[in-house]
Amino acid sequence: MASLPFSATSFHSTFICFNYKARNPNLFFLKKGSSFTFSRRKFIIKSVASDQRQDLKEEGQITEEASLDTFVPDSASIASSIKYHSEFTPSFAPDHFELPKAFKATAESVRDSLIINWNATYAYYEKINVKQAYYLSMEYLQGRALLNAIGNLELTGAYAEALKKLGHNLEDVAREEPDAALGNGGLGRLASCFLDSLATLNYPAWGYGLRYKYGLFKQYITKDGQEEVAENWLEMGNPWEIVRNDVSYPVKFYGEVISGPEGIKEWVGGEDITAVAYDVPIPGYKTKTTINLRLWSTKVAPEKFDLSAFNAGDHAKAYSAMNNAEKICYILYPGDESLEGKTLRLKQQYTLCSASLQDIIARYERRSGEFLNWEIFPEKVAVQMNDTHPTLCIPELIRILIDVKGLSWEQAWNITQRTVAYTNHTVLPEALEKWSLELMEKLLPRHVEIIKMIDEELVQTIIDEYGTEDLDLLQEKLKQMRILDNIELPESVVEMIAKPEKSSVEAIESTEEDDVSDEETEPTAEEDELEEEEIEEKNEVPPIIEPDPKLPKLVRMANLCVAGGYAVNGVAEIHSEIVKNEVFNDFYEMWPEKFQNKTNGVTPRRWIRFCNPDLSKIITKWTGSEDWVVNTEKLLTLRKFADNEDLQSEWREAKQRNKVKVASFLREKTGYIVNPDAMFDVQVKRIHEYKRQLLNIMGIVYRYKKMKEMSHEERKASFAPRVCIFGGKAFATYVQAKRIVKFITDVGATVNHDPEIGDLLKVVFVPDYNVSVAEMLIPGSELSQHISTAGMEASGTSNMKFAMNGCILIGTLDGANVEIRQEVGEDNFFLFGAEAHEIAGLRKERAEGKFVPDPRFEKVKSYVRSGVFGPYNYEELMGSLEGNEGYGRADYFLVGKDFPSYIECQDKVDEAYRDQKRWTKMSILNTAGSYKFSSDRTIHEYARDIWRIDPVVLP
């Protein structure tokens, strides 16, 4: 279908529908060779949203009375659709039908089917004016969409057959799709799983994000380690998106705030850009519900192009406004070491918030019609902030309600506090965003005014809660809870705290006249001096209002989220407890009702059903139906068959087929040849010190060193063969993380070419890890490492994907590991390491010089320093694990502390793997116990407890 000149929510829109559904079997024919032409074309103009019926008659297939609801395309009609798109929505030369062109045409034919349900979904939502949830996220790590979409539409077989007729294989065509570069790690993947579950469960919802031109970066692995280049995912266009040039909103930066009549504020001047909507339909599984992901791109009006400057030869000036606007959506997480980088990140966050809220409000007004009532706005709208990146939607919603819609401060503040909710994803202090007040005042002057008002409201609430009698207590509460950090208290608060209470003399004067002596007694000099000191003491401005001029003035975004929202949730049980008891303990004591837990989940459609068809068939056979795909509790049925030899045999065969695929993939991507009979040991996730890829590779070095000290026979007896697979990106400016990547690749280069070791140990770093790579690796994995320092991982979701696919985890009691271990059984999880409640004490012990490192750990560091892994100087990396204090020192993430426990646990892994019957049973029980970790369960909980929305099934 060509680009569509209608909104997804248009209720009586029409569009051109090309009648390509094989009405005439001779409509298309293939030439000899790879090209083809068309004998004739037919066009029909129909109204879809108003009529919901389409005249798509085919002989023997669709009758006059049939509707879009009952029409199921077969392979012939799909082939015609693909051929149509290859000519009428061309992105490639017409004389060839090779894989890139086949993918584009296939995707566009799938999009036609999505659009039908997509329009029906939102037409119905508009008609019944249902309450809707809006999910705001800076990341959506979607992965490839083709196989997921046709799987949800139940058209996989038909598309495979159609493409076979056209000379291609479905899997080959699907591999042509680049991963959408809209995310980096678990935050974005979670958001995408949530959209899938929302659509599958028929919840009225919408996602909002930014359309990054280059995403994060494409990662290459060279002899120097990680190298970054711009991602090119949009180079050939994105067939899933539809630009909505009729849906755009103004977004302002800089300028000034002026006061108009009756105290009305107006934000004027500054830099104006336009946010334009790009829509991506998100289909549910076996349902007509198709929701929307709306991504914003940025531009300026054509008149902003300085034509006179261009003609004068000053091209940089001519393009300045355009470049400033467009670069907002170039890169995910631009480096923020510089002021320019910080400014760009803040612009990104505000663009997402402003455009999305303007859109949400426009939809609310349109649905309300003449019955517009702002007080019931929270009864129709729920806004979920995925981490602190969308925090600015709190002051932005207030700004729109006050400055544009004319509401009072009290009304706007009350509405906002009933509309917005916040998901916390981290306990790392550096990830709880703090913005420079000076920068924010320049870039968003009106929002700073509003944030100061929110801060004043919060301070007043704190004082109401704790009083002013104990100023030390009050000082501590304000220090922890205020939104504005290192900034003087509002004058109204200072006056209230400093206001003297009635003196004893005033108290006496206020008593009954008959209780007062007729004779006034003059106070003595000593009494007079004492009274003056007491009054001065009561009038003294407390030290809590004095900012430190040496420290920066900051806006604490997480505190703003908690103060401005009605719900705060963590993403795993242990994480939510840390949020309540440590990160936001003061807020929790004041507002316990705000805090909830919502343990993360992943979609079983993408992460078992579609990426692991061999295992899916086995699960379906042994559970009795495919119900497990939407009701994962059915996976529990596998428990009673875990010892069944037939199931175990089928399970091992499926795992082995997947491992063979992984081995082929690794050879293609890295050149390394690995033995698929070895254990596949995988750690794939963002490279970060707290995730402790360093602990993993140090354990591998220890293993390699031990092997080198043994004879061939001793090695075979002591170690199970392993292929240790790493993947993940280190942020471009995160030097220590990049050192870890370099170290892993250097160890691999040495170990993999050591003839003494052979297939007993291989170390492979997979470049440019993304969703598609995960879909390949996870089904073939046998051991997966989730070894973060306890108390530092909010949840993790890759651990859930691995468990679902029958992979056994080795890990700490951190994040969702705790709950996974509970569900799969303690005997089916390899546990090691310090626990969360011990971490602070262990760091204190280290700082006091009491830590005694394990001799095995010291030998590994010396081995690395010996140069066995090449000439690179690893002193900085090894040095970070030494010393008792200092930045970049003292082993903050406790690699050395947990090392002994880790390598001893790895011995247990080897022992278990040698007993394949035992290992297979553990694998089956991991899949069975993963039932809880479906994003469907998580979304049901969000819908019930936070958003208060109900499923809406299309008629």
Side-chain angles (χ1 to χ4, degrees), residues 617-630:
K617 290 173 186 174
I618 294 170
I619 294 171
T620 297
K621 173 184 173 181
W622 288 84
T623 60
S625 73
E626 276 202 341
D627 291 351
W628 62 270
V629 181
V630 289

Side-chain angles (χ1 to χ4, degrees), residues 15 50 58 87 160 287 401 728 856 925 932:
F15 73 100
S50 61
E58 292 190 41
E87 179 165 333
T287 176
L401 293 176
R856 293 168 292 185
L925 291 173
K932 173 182 174 181

Side-chain angles (χ1 to χ4, degrees), residues 108-123:
E108 285 163 340
S109 77
V110 176
R111 191 184 71 177
D112 290 350
S113 297
L114 298 182
I115 286 172
I116 294 169
N117 289 339
W118 187 41
N119 281 320
T121 300
Y122 278 95

Side-chain angles (χ1 to χ4, degrees), residues 9 122 132 142 158 239 397 419 574 640 706 817 843 903:
T9 57
Y122 278 95
Q132 193 163 321
Q142 295 173 285
L397 178 55
T419 300
I574 185 174
K640 62 185 179 183
K706 293 285 288 182
N817 281 2
R843 287 182 178 140
I903 60 173

Side-chain angles (χ1 to χ4, degrees), residues 253-255 267 339 342-343 346 349-350 391-392 395 433-452 483-484 553-557 560:
F253 306 108
Y254 303 108
W267 185 13
L339 176 61
K342 289 181 173 66
T343 302
L346 193 55
Q349 294 185 6
Y350 179 61
T391 305
L392 287 169
E433 289 186 300
K434 297 178 182 179
W435 285 104
S436 160
L437 179 67
E438 181 182 5
L439 170 59
M440 194 174 282
E441 281 178 323
K442 289 179 181 177
L443 193 69
L444 303 169
R446 179 58 176 143
H447 295 76
V448 170
E449 290 185 348
I450 293 169
I451 290 170
K452 287 181 177 179
I483 297 163
L484 300 176
K553 297 183 176 184
L554 301 171
V555 181
R556 298 191 282 195
M557 306 304 271
L560 178 54

Side-chain angles (χ1 to χ4, degrees), residues 808-828:
I808 300 155
L809 309 189
I810 180 172
T812 53
L813 286 178
D814 195 28
N817 281 2
V818 177
E819 293 162 77
I820 292 174
R821 182 168 175 262
Q822 290 169 353
E823 298 299 335
V824 306
E826 294 179 6
D827 293 339
N828 305 306

Side-chain angles (χ1 to χ4, degrees), residues 260-328:
E262 300 179 3
I264 295 174
K265 297 292 185 76
E266 185 179 2
W267 185 13
V268 298
E271 178 184 306
D272 297 306
I273 67 165
T274 301
V276 180
Y278 284 72
D279 286 348
V280 181
I282 308 294
Y285 178 72
K286 293 187 177 182
T287 176
K288 290 189 294 183
T289 299
T290 301
I291 65 173
N292 192 36
L293 170 59
R294 176 158 283 180
L295 302 171
W296 300 107
S297 187
T298 46
K299 66 176 187 178
V300 291
E303 54 267 24
K304 295 289 184 180
F305 178 74
D306 193 336
L307 190 60
S308 60
F310 187 85
N311 288 330
D314 192 348
H315 298 161
K317 181 182 177 184
Y319 279 106
S320 177
M322 297 175 69
N323 289 340
N324 284 338
E326 291 173 2
K327 72 181 181 183
I328 292 172

